[in-house]
Amino acid sequence: MSDFSEELIRPTTEDEQAEPCVSSGTGMYFPWLQKRIETVATGGKQEKDFGQTTSACFGFIREALLKHQWQKAAEYMCSYLQILEDSDSNKRQLAPEIIWRLGSEILYYHPNSSVETFNTFADRMKNIGVMNYLKISLQHALYLLHHGLLEDANRNLSQAETWRYGEKSSSQEVLINLIQAYKGLLQYYTWSKKKTELSQLDEDDYAYNSASQTMLSHSWKTSINLCALIQIPGVWDPFVKSYVEMLEFYGDREGAREVLTNYAYDEKFPSNPNAHVYLYSFLKREKAPREKLLSVLKILFQIVPSHKLMLEFHRLLRKSEKEEHRKLALEVLFGVLDFAGCTRNITAWKYLAKYLRQTLMGSHLAWVQEQWNSRKNWWPGFHFSYFWAKNDWKDDKALACEKALVAGMLLGKSCSPGATEEAQWGRFAQKPKQPSWNIGRVFVTRCGSWWSNCSSELCGLEHACWP
Amino acid sequence: MDFPSPLPPSLFMTGPLGLSNVPDVPFMCSWRDALTLPEPRPRTSEDGAPRRAEGLLWELDTPGPLPLLPPGPDPWDPGVTARDLLFRGGYQFRRQPRAVLDGTEQLSRFLWDHGDIAFAPLGQLMLENFKLEGAQSRSKKKTVVSVKRLLQDLGGHQPWGCPWAYLSYRQRRFSILGGPILSTSVASLLGELLHEELALRWQRLLLDDTFTGGALAWVPGRTPAAGQLVYPAGGALDTLYFQKVSLSPGSEPRVLGGPGHIQLRGPVRQVVTRTVQGEALLAVRSDYHCGLWSVGKQGQPAPLQMLQVEKGATGISLSPHLPGELVVCSRSGAVCLWTPQDGLRQIYKDSETLVFRDPSPWRWADFTAHPRVLTVGDRTGVKVVDTQGPPGCGLLLFRGGAEASCQKGERILLTQYLGEHSPECLHPTLHLVCTQFSLYLVDERLPLVPLLKWNHGLPSAPLLARLLPPPRPGCPRPLLLAGQAGELLLLHLAGEGASAPRLAGPPQSLPSRSDSLSAFPLLEPRSQRWLQERLKAPTIGLAATIPPSASAPVLSLFHLSAAGDVFHQRLRLQAEPGPDPPVPTASWTPQATARCGRWLKALLEVPPAAPVWAAPAFSHRRLLGCFEPQKPDGKVPEGLRTAMAQGRLLRPRDLGLLLSEERPPAPEPGPGDELSERLEAAWEGRVAGWWERQRGASSGPEKQPKRPKRRTQLSSTFSSLSGRLDLSDAPSPPPSPDQTPAEARLQPPVTPPSQDLTQEPWAQGVPSERRQTLRDYMAELPLRGDSPGGASAPSSQTSSIRATPSRQQAAVPSGSQSQRKKPRMGF
């Protein structure tokens, strides 16, 4: 009786025990196994009429829900409540949870339901089967929050916060933390509202003082509420963000830094890119040294090379004196353009065209070669194909220009990495005619030259495209 | 690319699946996903009404899908069912029925049906004991049998066809010789193999993953309203058909001309199509082969390359980034990148699963947002593998474990990359992971933490999923999910830019093929069942398209069944899903029923599948010849002979017998009549009089016929018991209507064992030494039928000894809860 989730698992394990009879060896659970067996086995313990009617009723409710027939589902729901009296203790314990899920879903979508109906239902459900009290309270509060009833939600959460039942299990603790955190978030909303009001007031005004007083007390309460949860591994973006904002406002920079560093670098936490983004923006606000910013972005680069902050990272690296940073700047740009979602990012192409030229002028041919070697067999088909040339030219001429410039540098005859490529493709092109499907190389050959022609033709346009 | 910020809160816990103390933070209600946290500055709630406009609702044109193409000429058979494989007996003391493979029956059937296969190799083993030439044996050894004689003895008889075949002494010797070998080797060798095969079949019945991904594809044509359906057909699904179809927003799709087809060497399991950089490609997976075609502008397929996969292929995917690039997975656990120009390149090989390290016969791979990075999945997890990095390294993207709060026994059935080439409306980094319970959306930039979890609740394995482009700009993208048994779910995924992906609106279920049964004309029961079975055939392919149109978008949905039938359904996007959406009800149009009728007519012309095995036929004509000289004596042999000569069943009529006395006995005027009599009386308000009559009759001298009355007396005991209750409870004549069903329930034709004891034949099954004890025991009991007062008491007493269930059944007349519960709580 310690934990609800345990009870949720229990029927499954029973089925598991029933299953190994068949030499499956995989330990996989088949929800449809039962039905298959029932078509054959007539012996054994038959499901009672009561169980049959409730499961049939469940099926009807599910069907009605999936057909958006809320009224019908609500009617069936009245009958389904008999499951609370099931003689099977397992089913009886699961029942409140199922009723809550179905009922809340129906009430959420039912055209005639109101917040009051939902409140009544939730309050009743909280007290049927004590194990669900916290969970239902939290969901109820979220519902109220969603309907803009912040005060009601806050009251609900405060009630749930003080609720205890039996020994405090770990899942109960997490839920209480979560409830407290949501409460903290609500307090943060009022605080930030006050803050905006305050910013509109005059500092000498009497009202200013009292308002700042209330703000102070709010922040103190909130910090208690928020900091417990964000120690637990998880994704807590909204909580961390608001907590840090409040800490920052009251000048607790060290505290904010600690929270963010912990959130980003604790190994028990999932590698959440937002944690690094938050840390970076905090450091940036704090005017931290560039080295520090670079180290944060470098980790973000390793996790998400396609992040939009990467262009900023590139700019920072570009300005750096260090050779390795300037080399990394090139890698970052190539990295961004590797991704399918970034192929039409004109800024990235612009940066690449400019930076490639700069790099080649600075006689760092090896850097380009290093990046190009792993991409030479797929970038032409991915970025510089005839199809894209045509489409880009049609849709976005500026983009086409930038791409043409890059292609010219990478594939063209003018610079050496491209020259070797060209020679290779030249050999390909001289081969006997390939079958029509072989667009990969043949097309690319043609397109490569098209792109390089394009780039030379477009030399005049170059200035127009570049800022 | 934007990364969603802030992400929805979720708890992260590492550990095995089914870990008990994970609070289920991503709650599974669909409305949960609609709840986004308000912005720091809470918007002024105008009227408190929740936002509902997002949910899309599709209206059905017809209540079920309609056949698009005529049925194929090959018959279809549903194959083995659970009934064929499982032991049919029940277990007494088990909470839940178990699946026990029925090896014994299968083995005996196999030996009976395929004796030649089972025993022929044994001849080889016993060769030294046979003498093939016909001369007299000079050998002193008694262990050598002349085959010639043996065969002569066997004559035309087939020993396994006729159990009463004449047994000569030679055959006897043969059977003694062969006995040890036949009994042990056949049973052990064959039994093992058979059990293995049965287990395999049972596994396949529970989960047939060969069609994962689906074998139906829609190849868009030159105009958006026309295209081609590519699907396998034919009895073995080994012919790939290309059917041109034109769609129009106002009417059913039109099939243009006959289909083109390509004959392949094996059954087609998966058909994938993608248009990459303006070029339509088609990849086909068979059991041991994979093929790649390019589809020209006119729609003609041109083969590019074929590939043989020795260990068997389990999955094939086409790259959405580079034309002509594929990834192929094999049963050996290898994943290869395949381009027609460069050939195969193995990028991953591991015969074990990612998380559990157990053998992994199923593997799946797909592409990601990075053209050089792939996902490799098996039943336990999904890994992201860089094809350019060192082999074997990679990050786990999804783990069937506590991270995704998976249940015990939860396994991955399908993974799919959702980033098609249109990144609008959804992040192009999302992957769909389906298990038998839930659906997960995972972003490859945030491994291990699913951004969305929804309990799909499908009653069969979800092996097919299709993500469609948004029906209108700015709308969420529809995602179709199909269970193997034909169930279809339509969900909407939203979330672009800085918002996390979520379900937009409540999911919708779509009708399956068996919902169309009512559109077909009614048939005689046998054909009706056949049609029903055909409509219930597993779904093996799913394709959908939304041709752009000026008016309301129309979704054309095609599904392919294992019988090779292509069905079609049209869905129309509801214009304004207001706060009170009218429940759309579709009905069959005359055109639809006419279409179904035509299809059915064509289906009925298809010859039924030939049985796998037919009983050996005896050459009765020869036997007839043997008997010919004998003089026909009497009508019966004559009838027998004519029936044999004509090769038809021998009916009693042929023998000229009037078998009236052996007709199944007509129902005796027993409990039924008594009941109806009583009901009749009750209706007329004379139940008291009836009861008096009844009393008088039963207290009279015992002159009932014995055997048929045994059963009726029990039920009359019960019915009279309840009848007495009727009297005492409700002396007023008209009984309340709810008592009638209770009474009807009270006379089931069961005979509790206790009643057997009161009659003569009870002694038959009892050992003689215990008969006296029983007799004494019986003597102690006041026998039923003495008096009406005594009639109820002893029966409940005796039955309380041995027939508890029936007593309970009798004691609880109309099933009120409190009454039902009491005895159980006492136990």
Side-chain angles (χ1 to χ4, degrees), chain A residues 73-85:
Chain A
E75 280 160 22
Y76 281 123
M77 196 67 205
C78 298
S79 314
Y80 189 66
L81 296 178
Q82 70 168 16
I83 197 183
L84 288 170
E85 292 180 27

Side-chain angles (χ1 to χ4, degrees), chain B residues 425-447:
Chain B
C425 291
L426 213 58
H427 294 278
T429 47
L430 288 178
H431 294 260
L432 174 79
V433 177
C434 283
T435 67
Q436 63 270 51
F437 303 111
S438 300
L439 165 156
Y440 301 86
L441 279 190
V442 196
D443 194 305
E444 62 191 51
R445 295 168 293 182
L446 180 65

Side-chain angles (χ1 to χ4, degrees), chain A residues 82-267:
Chain A
Q82 70 168 16
I83 197 183
L84 288 170
E85 292 180 27
D86 201 311
S87 59
D88 187 337
S89 65
N90 259 327
K91 278 191 185 166
R92 211 169 45 228
Q93 273 168 355
L94 278 176
E97 167 84 0
I98 300 170
I99 291 178
W100 166 247
R101 281 192 188 169
L102 294 175
S104 60
E105 179 115 354
I106 293 169
L107 287 182
Y108 185 81
Y109 291 112
H110 198 289
N112 295 341
S113 90
S114 62
V115 179
E116 287 75 42
T117 334
F118 197 92
N119 287 347
T120 326
F121 176 65
D123 288 336
R124 290 242 173 101
M125 285 313 297
K126 276 178 208 169
N127 296 312
I128 299 176
V130 279
M131 306 318 287
N132 297 318
Y133 187 90
L134 292 177
K135 230 185 221 185
I136 294 176
S137 295
L138 184 58
Q139 293 194 30
H140 185 197
L142 282 175
Y143 175 86
L144 292 171
L145 206 65
H146 183 66
H147 285 252
L149 303 165
L150 297 196
E151 272 154 41
D152 289 356
N154 197 15
R155 202 176 325 118
N156 230 300
L157 290 172
S158 311
Q159 268 174 21
E161 195 184 9
T162 52
W163 184 86
R164 291 287 180 282
Y165 175 77
E167 236 173 272
K168 202 167 162 189
S169 68
S170 60
S171 79
Q172 229 182 62
E173 204 176 321
V174 171
L175 273 174
I176 287 177
N177 282 337
L178 206 60
I179 284 169
Q180 284 173 342
Y182 271 106
K183 210 181 139 200
L185 202 64
L186 280 179
Q187 283 160 354
Y188 163 78
Y189 291 153
T190 27
W191 175 83
S192 75
K193 213 162 122 191
K194 289 250 161 60
K195 202 175 89 174
T196 43
E197 279 170 18
L198 202 63
S199 63
Q200 287 154 6
L201 284 175
D202 191 17
E203 261 189 51
D204 302 325
D205 201 339
Y206 171 73
Y208 180 86
N209 272 329
S210 65
S212 60
Q213 279 296 321
T214 43
M215 272 182 71
L216 268 175
S217 66
H218 263 300
S219 81
W220 177 76
K221 274 194 274 176
T222 312
S223 63
I224 288 178
N225 279 331
L226 285 175
C227 65
L229 181 75
I230 56 183
Q231 306 295 327
I232 303 168
V235 178
W236 310 122
D237 288 357
F239 306 118
V240 170
K241 215 175 156 186
S242 46
Y243 187 43
V244 165
E245 195 187 326
M246 293 175 89
L247 287 177
E248 252 184 292
F249 186 80
Y250 292 104
D252 188 2
R253 288 180 179 281
E254 276 314 302
R257 187 200 299 272
E258 201 190 313
V259 166
L260 284 172
T261 319
N262 182 49
Y263 190 51
Y265 295 138
D266 195 329
E267 281 184 357

Side-chain angles (χ1 to χ4, degrees), chain A residues 22 29 32 36 374 385 437, chain B residues 202 205-206 277 304 388 436:
Chain A
V22 181
Y29 175 72
W32 47 90
R36 289 277 162 81
S374 63
S385 64
W437 51 266
Chain B
W202 174 241
L205 196 69
L206 282 181
Q277 298 190 3
L304 299 186
Q388 292 177 327
Q436 63 270 51

Side-chain angles (χ1 to χ4, degrees), chain B residues 558-816:
Chain B
F558 303 94
H559 24 126
L560 173 71
S561 80
D565 302 328
V566 179
F567 274 60
H568 169 260
Q569 169 106 50
R570 270 153 47 91
L571 306 161
R572 197 178 295 277
L573 188 65
Q574 211 177 48
E576 249 337 288
D580 188 6
V583 177
T585 45
S587 55
W588 294 112
T589 56
Q591 292 94 332
T593 42
R595 193 181 193 128
C596 289
R598 278 199 304 277
W599 187 82
L600 185 63
K601 206 175 151 199
L603 181 70
L604 289 175
E605 279 162 17
V606 174
V612 183
W613 177 83
F618 296 97
S619 60
H620 56 267
R621 277 169 221 290
R622 241 191 73 210
L623 289 173
L624 214 62
C626 296
F627 289 125
E628 207 59 76
Q630 286 173 12
K631 207 172 155 50
D633 49 349
K635 215 172 176 191
V636 176
E638 180 60 37
L640 191 70
R641 194 157 295 122
T642 40
M644 275 174 84
Q646 289 169 10
R648 61 175 164 79
L649 276 177
L650 187 69
R651 286 168 301 184
R653 202 190 316 142
D654 300 327
L655 301 179
L657 299 172
L658 282 172
L659 295 166
S660 55
E661 66 273 23
E662 285 186 29
R663 222 174 253 160
E668 295 266 326
D673 287 62
E674 201 171 282
L675 176 73
S676 51
E677 221 172 72
R678 186 161 60 84
L679 286 177
E680 215 168 278
W683 274 111
E684 289 165 15
R686 291 182 278 106
V687 79
W690 176 83
W691 174 241
E692 279 308 316
R693 273 205 309 285
Q694 200 64 15
R695 258 177 82 157
S698 55
S699 58
E702 277 196 8
K703 275 182 75 184
Q704 299 119 338
K706 274 186 181 165
R707 197 171 285 268
K709 274 289 172 184
R710 197 167 52 163
R711 189 172 295 170
T712 61
Q713 271 161 3
L714 168 73
S715 38
S716 72
T717 316
F718 284 121
S719 56
S720 63
L721 171 77
S722 58
R724 197 169 55 91
L725 283 175
D726 271 349
L727 262 180
S728 55
D729 288 348
S732 58
S736 58
D738 63 334
Q739 272 166 341
T740 320
E743 283 162 12
R745 208 197 300 162
L746 278 173
Q747 43 131 352
V750 286
T751 315
S754 64
Q755 288 298 317
D756 290 354
L757 294 171
T758 65
Q759 295 291 339
E760 195 60 52
W762 61 265
Q764 282 171 4
V766 184
S768 55
E769 64 273 14
R770 297 190 61 191
R771 279 184 197 172
Q772 189 52 48
T773 330
L774 270 172
R775 208 167 280 135
D776 296 344
Y777 177 68
M778 296 308 296
E780 287 299 304
L781 291 171
L783 281 178
R784 144 217 56 76
D786 296 341
S787 68
S792 59
S795 74
S796 67
Q797 265 181 29
T798 46
S799 56
S800 73
I801 297 163
R802 296 221 10 217
T804 329
S806 61
R807 188 187 65 93
Q808 274 188 352
Q809 209 171 7
V812 186
S814 59
S816 92

Side-chain angles (χ1 to χ4, degrees), chain B residues 157-174:
Chain B
H157 309 278
Q158 295 176 44
W160 52 84
C162 179
W164 294 282
Y166 175 68
L167 201 71
S168 73
Y169 80 97
R170 283 192 212 84
Q171 280 175 347
R172 196 175 142 73
R173 203 197 298 169
F174 166 74

Side-chain angles (χ1 to χ4, degrees), chain A residues 15-34:
Chain A
D15 294 348
E16 275 279 297
Q17 283 161 4
E19 205 256 345
C21 230
V22 181
S23 55
S24 66
T26 53
M28 185 168 173
Y29 175 72
F30 299 100
W32 47 90
L33 173 75
Q34 198 62 25

